[in-house]
């Protein structure tokens, strides 16, 4: 039996291992999930939601174990691992209620006919997830898929199989057999799952893999929901609260060691306030502690050596091409990249174009808000964006011109509970959360009779 070992990126120690699912077994697992689907659907929307809501207590009880597992398997500081673990149980009943409301049939009349719009399950849903939020990403896809009456085959990232398994284990304490099946492995297992007889593929991960999934799914027009990478800009206007802007820039560039899809990856600052902003950002960057996440350092390791090499390669290239190091830039060791702030970053540098996914804050000076908007939008990505400014109307005007899917004003990009998590351009295809997001896990069906 082939096994997949999981390593702690801070220490190199083995955290645990799982059995790799042989590729030739994938279609059999999907067939089992398909056989389990009609009975799961027959429980009804409310019945399924009530069953799933029972897991909230278990997630609450295991929050520390899960938080520590997240930190030891992928490296994020324990406070971030704990926050992720707590989010699994917190508000679960309310989230499920939102799904129920989104999926209940609606009646529409036009004076001539009465139609009922149903949101029926599609059948079997594949959920393929990344390592950077190794328990909440499975939850974002598995819960709405199950609530809608689909059965699910989950493939967690090969970097964090134990977190994926621990998540599924909690659900499987209440679910009937084969309603949620987990398989383990890397891209070969992912490809086999995409090629199998599933009805919907929900994927969160890199843009390149997302594109390949869309291509593969086209053969039978499988439904696809993709949440992909980003290159999020932040704009700092001259009347912004600079201390708040620098604090946000440091937090959103360095949390989870920059391995967040909505990390701030490009900062456009108005020339007039650039010196002061850079000074504040440099101070905060230098103050970051780096180390093993379990000891609650501010910044943990990169998930693996490949990710470290990618980040260091971009840094080296940027400095060689004239980027100025404001803080950090040296002392990297093992999988740890020293948090680094760069200034004078040009749009043609690789670090300004390709996703970095590392603890680097890149500052570029601009002469006007119009220039900031033009340069911020000069990307194929379009996940999040952020604008800091003092004048409400002007700041909102700048925000409206940004082409990202989620734009934050004087705060991070994510919206209120009930709003979609959505990427524009090549950052996504479909979206999650919100009524419309939940409905993507269903087949809409309209039945009409005369009035
Ligand atoms: P990845 O694309 O390398 O892998 C994601 C998953 O896909 C893994 O489970 C992997 O095994 C699997 N996979 C790899 N090749 C495959 C293939 N050909 N067919 C099917 N499955 C395949 O991404 P990653 O490195 O795990 O995650 C980081 C990426 O995820 C970043 O780009 C980040 O921005 C993105 N992300 C996006 C969001 C969002 O909400 N938009 C959230 C989290 C992460």
């Amino acid at each position: 039996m082939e096994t997949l070992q999981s390593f702690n990126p801070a220490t190199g120690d083995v955290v645990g291992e799982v059995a790799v699912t042989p590729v030739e077994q994938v279609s059999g697992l999907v067939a089992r999930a398909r056989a389990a689907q009609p009975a799961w659907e027959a429980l009804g929307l409310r019945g399924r939601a009530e069953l799933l809501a029972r897991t909230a207590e278990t997630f609450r009880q295991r929050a520390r174990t899960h938080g520590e597992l997240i930190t030891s398997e992928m490296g994020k500081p324990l406070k971030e691992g704990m926050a992720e673990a707590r989010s699994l149980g917190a508000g679960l009943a309310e989230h499920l209620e939102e799904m129920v409301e989104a999926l209940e049939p609606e009646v529409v009349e036009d004076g001539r006919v009465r139609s009922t719009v149903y949101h029926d399950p599609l059948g079997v849903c594949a959920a393929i997830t990344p390592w950077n939020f190794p328990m909440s990403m499975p939850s974002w896809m598995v819960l709405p898929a199950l609530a809608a009456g689909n059965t699910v085959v989950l493939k967690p990232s090969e970097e964090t199989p134990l977190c994926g398994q621990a998540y599924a284990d909690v659900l499987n304490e209440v679910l009937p057999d084969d309603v949620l099946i987990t398989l383990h492995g890397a891209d070969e297992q992912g490809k086999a799952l995409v090629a199998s007889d599933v009805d919907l593929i929900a994927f969160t991960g890199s843009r390149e893999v997302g594109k390949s999934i869309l291509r593969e799914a086209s053969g039978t027009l499988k439904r696809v929901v993709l949440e992909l990478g980003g290159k999020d800009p932040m704009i700092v206007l001259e009347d912004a609260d600079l201390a708040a802007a620098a604090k946000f820039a440091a937090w959103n560039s360095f949390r989870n060691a920059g391995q967040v899809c909505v990390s701030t990856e490009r900062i456009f600052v108005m020339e007039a306030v650039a010196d002061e902003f850079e000074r504040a950002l440099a101070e905060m960057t230098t103050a970051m502690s780096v180390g093993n996440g379990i000891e609650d350092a501010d910044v943990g390791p990169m998930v693996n050596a490949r990710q470290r090499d990618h980040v260091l390669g971009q840094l080296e290239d940027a400095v060689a091409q004239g980027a100025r190091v404001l803080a950090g830039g040296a002392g990297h060791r093992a999988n740890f990249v020293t948090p680094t702030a760069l200034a004078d970053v040009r749009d043609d540098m690789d670090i300004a174009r390709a996703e970095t996914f590392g603890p680097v804050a890149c500052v570029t000076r601009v002469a006007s808000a119009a220039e900031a908007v033009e340069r911020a939008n000069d990307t194929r990505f379009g996940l999040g964006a952020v604008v800091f400014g003092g004048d409400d109307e002007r700041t909102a005007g700048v925000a409206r011109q940004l082409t990202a899917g989620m734009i934050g004003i004087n705060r991070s990009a994510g919206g209120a509970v009930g709003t979609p998590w959505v990427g524009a351009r090549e950052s996504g295809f479909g979206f999650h959360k919100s009524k419309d997001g939940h409905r993507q896990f269903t087949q809409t069906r309209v039945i009409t009779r005369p009035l």
Side-chain angles (χ1 to χ4, degrees):
M1 185 181 65
E2 195 191 341
T3 56
L4 177 60
Q5 282 195 320
S6 184
F7 295 95
N8 180 331
T11 60
D13 295 341
V14 175
V15 185
E17 62 180 30
V18 294
V20 171
T21 308
V23 167
E24 56 282 6
Q25 285 180 13
V26 171
S27 59
L29 294 176
V30 172
R32 269 172 44 194
R34 189 167 293 289
Q37 193 273 332
W40 176 239
E41 179 175 356
L43 274 183
L45 184 54
R46 213 152 262 295
R48 295 189 299 268
E50 278 168 15
L51 201 65
L52 290 164
R54 285 195 217 151
T55 60
E57 186 49 36
T58 317
F59 280 122
R60 268 193 287 276
Q61 284 166 4
R62 291 189 203 161
R64 175 145 289 272
T65 317
H66 286 161
E68 287 174 358
L69 179 63
I70 292 170
T71 292
S72 50
E73 202 174 24
M74 62 72 60
K76 71 176 61 172
L78 186 58
K79 55 179 169 289
E80 296 180 28
M82 287 298 298
E84 181 173 349
R86 286 197 192 99
S87 75
L88 302 170
L92 184 62
E94 291 78 4
H95 292 319
L96 287 161
E97 190 53 39
E98 184 189 298
M99 293 173 203
V100 169
E101 277 172 26
L103 302 181
E104 258 159 1
E106 302 156 281
V107 176
V108 182
E109 289 182 5
D110 68 356
R112 207 172 38 92
V113 294
R114 175 189 299 140
S115 296
T116 308
V117 182
Y118 294 95
H119 303 288
D120 291 338
L122 284 156
V124 182
C125 170
I128 303 178
T129 57
W131 47 263
N132 64 332
F133 286 88
M135 293 190 83
S136 59
M137 289 296 102
S139 163
W140 278 31
M141 286 182 271
V142 168
L143 273 186
L146 288 177
N150 304 287
T151 50
V152 175
V153 180
L154 166 68
K155 195 204 84 63
S157 167
E158 62 275 26
E159 300 292 341
T160 51
L162 303 175
C163 286
Q165 189 63 55
Y167 175 78
D169 286 349
V170 174
L171 265 60
N172 275 322
E173 286 175 19
V174 302
L175 292 174
D177 284 352
D178 292 344
V179 167
L180 171 61
I181 295 176
T182 308
L183 64 84
H184 290 292
D187 51 338
E188 289 310 315
Q189 281 71 14
K191 283 181 197 161
L193 185 54
V194 167
S196 72
D197 177 34
V198 293
D199 301 284
L200 170 78
I201 303 156
F203 171 80
T204 302
S206 63
R207 181 174 60 166
E208 290 62 36
V209 174
K211 286 183 182 178
S212 84
I213 288 177
L214 201 51
R215 270 196 304 274
E216 293 302 319
S218 70
T220 53
L221 290 180
K222 281 176 191 139
R223 301 311 188 245
V224 175
V225 182
L226 306 174
E227 294 284 0
L228 308 176
K231 193 70 194 164
D232 285 13
M234 170 181 182
I235 294 178
V236 184
L237 300 173
E238 42 311 44
D239 57 352
D241 174 341
L242 291 184
K247 191 171 169 199
F248 175 84
W251 172 73
N252 205 40
S253 300
F254 304 141
R255 71 183 164 118
N256 201 5
Q259 302 166 120
V260 180
C261 52
V262 288
S263 278
T264 295
E265 296 234 340
R266 299 174 296 144
I267 305 169
F268 298 99
V269 188
M270 300 289 274
E271 187 72 57
V273 292
D275 283 343
E276 193 180 336
F277 176 82
E278 286 176 3
R279 245 191 324 272
L281 178 62
E283 252 172 51
M284 287 175 198
T285 306
T286 310
M288 293 278 159
S289 63
V290 183
N292 190 337
I294 214 78
E295 286 149 20
D296 233 0
D298 296 322
V299 180
M302 301 280 87
V303 72
N304 57 29
R306 186 160 40 89
Q307 190 59 25
R308 174 205 62 203
D309 292 346
H310 162 73
V311 176
L312 291 182
Q314 275 196 345
L315 261 178
E316 215 171 280
D317 171 76
V319 172
Q321 291 195 57
R324 186 160 47 92
V325 177
L326 293 170
H332 318 295
R333 64 186 167 85
N335 286 331
F336 297 91
V337 172
T338 308
T340 299
L342 295 181
D344 303 340
V345 172
R346 288 195 321 270
D347 300 346
D348 60 348
M349 294 175 179
D350 190 44
I351 207 164
R353 307 220 67 83
E355 194 174 31
T356 301
F357 234 51
V360 186
C362 292
V363 181
T364 301
R365 294 177 178 219
V366 288
S368 66
E371 183 190 342
V373 167
E374 192 186 327
R375 294 173 76 171
N377 287 342
D378 179 20
T379 170
R380 295 303 310 157
F381 289 106
L383 194 55
V386 164
V387 189
F388 271 72
D391 180 282
D392 266 1
E393 208 175 313
R394 178 170 175 240
T395 314
V398 169
R400 271 309 272 146
Q401 295 173 63
L402 294 173
T403 50
M406 297 173 286
I407 300 139
I409 294 177
N410 295 330
R411 53 152 289 122
S412 55
V417 173
T419 59
W421 181 268
V422 52
R425 295 181 165 175
E426 293 183 14
S427 283
F429 189 89
F431 45 89
H432 284 319
K433 301 196 166 178
S434 76
K435 270 191 169 180
D436 293 329
H438 301 322
R439 288 178 181 162
Q440 289 172 105
F441 291 87
T442 67
Q443 175 60 55
T444 299
R445 198 163 271 125
V446 187
I447 296 191
T448 303
R449 71 194 73 206
L451 269 181

